[in-house]
């Protein structure tokens, strides 16, 4: 028993595993791609129906929007695994800043996902329905959603202070 305990301690402290940051990075990249795909799907479908949708029918983008809610948990889990792989790990010195960036990116993407889902719900409720047409024409909304998807891509790739991001932000502001 003592020998097993000594081997266990040696395995954990002498040769601990590397921090598990890469799975979190992969999950975050996939999540960002899914958010962009949702925004692009909304843009592609808005105003595309020849006849108004019945009240009990949802746009096709609602299914991936709903799936994103549960998908968010797998992102949180991946970040949690990354955090736990660093805790009490002597090989994890120097990854604190990187771990903070992963956590910030995860939080930012979760917030963007909530907003994208909210946009999807509003578009589903207002567009391609009988009755009064929304004030923003479907082609204009589709263009803005595509620009927003591009903005999310640039912000996730380069950070929020990039020149391209600023340029897209200016374009969006001018269109509104």
């Amino acid at each position: 028993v003592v020998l097993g305990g000594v081997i266990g301690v040696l395995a954990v402290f002498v040769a601990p595993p590397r921090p598990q940051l890469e799975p979190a990075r992969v999950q975050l990249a996939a999540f960002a791609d899914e958010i962009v795909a949702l925004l692009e799907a909304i843009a592609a479908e808005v105003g595309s129906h020849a006849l108004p949708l019945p009240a009990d029918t949802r746009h096709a983008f609602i299914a991936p929007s709903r799936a994103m809610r549960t998908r968010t948990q797998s992102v949180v889990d991946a970040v949690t695994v990354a955090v736990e792989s660093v805790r009490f790990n002597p090989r994890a010195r120097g990854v604190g800043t990187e771990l903070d960036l992963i956590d910030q990116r995860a939080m930012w993407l979760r917030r963007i996902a909530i907003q994208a889902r909210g946009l999807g719900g509003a578009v589903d409720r207002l567009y391609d329905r009988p009755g009064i047409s929304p004030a923003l024409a479907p082609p204009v909304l589709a263009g803005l959603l595509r620009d927003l998807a591009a903005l999310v891509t640039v912000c996730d790739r380069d950070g929020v202070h990039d020149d391209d991001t600023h340029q897209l932000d200016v374009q969006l502001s001018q269109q509104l």
Side-chain angles (χ1 to χ4, degrees):
V1 175
V2 173
L3 181 60
V6 169
I7 291 173
V9 168
L10 286 175
V12 170
F13 290 106
V14 174
R18 294 194 179 279
Q20 300 297 310
L21 303 183
E22 191 57 30
R25 283 192 208 99
V26 169
Q27 287 281 347
L28 290 170
F31 192 45
D33 291 344
E34 290 171 28
I35 293 168
V36 169
L38 175 61
L39 292 168
E40 290 172 347
I42 297 168
E45 191 177 357
V46 67
S48 68
H49 298 276
L51 297 173
L53 294 173
D56 62 344
T57 303
R58 298 284 166 246
H59 286 87
F61 57 77
I62 290 299
S65 174
R66 288 181 176 162
M68 190 174 287
R69 194 165 95 205
T70 56
R71 173 71 172 88
T72 302
Q73 187 58 48
S74 63
V75 171
V76 170
D77 293 344
V79 172
T80 301
V81 167
V83 168
E84 289 175 356
S85 76
V86 170
R87 208 173 274 173
F88 305 118
N89 188 337
R91 289 179 97 179
R93 292 183 198 140
V95 299
T97 302
E98 193 172 353
L99 190 61
D100 287 343
L101 292 173
I102 288 172
D103 190 43
Q104 289 170 10
R105 182 179 179 200
M107 185 174 298
W108 183 78
L109 285 171
R110 288 193 323 256
R111 289 175 179 163
I112 295 298
I114 290 167
Q115 297 300 318
R117 291 188 67 239
L119 280 169
V123 169
D124 181 56
R125 191 157 174 89
L126 297 173
Y127 285 82
D128 302 311
R129 302 292 179 188
I132 299 173
S133 296
L136 195 59
V140 174
L141 176 62
L144 289 170
L145 288 168
R146 286 185 190 96
D147 288 346
L148 180 58
L151 184 63
V152 169
T153 299
V154 170
C155 286
D156 185 55
R157 181 191 67 216
D158 300 336
V160 294
H161 299 295
D162 187 75
D163 291 337
D164 293 337
T165 305
H166 177 70
Q167 187 71 338
L168 285 170
D169 184 41
V170 168
Q171 289 173 357
L172 278 172
S173 296
Q174 289 171 350
Q175 290 179 8
L176 292 176

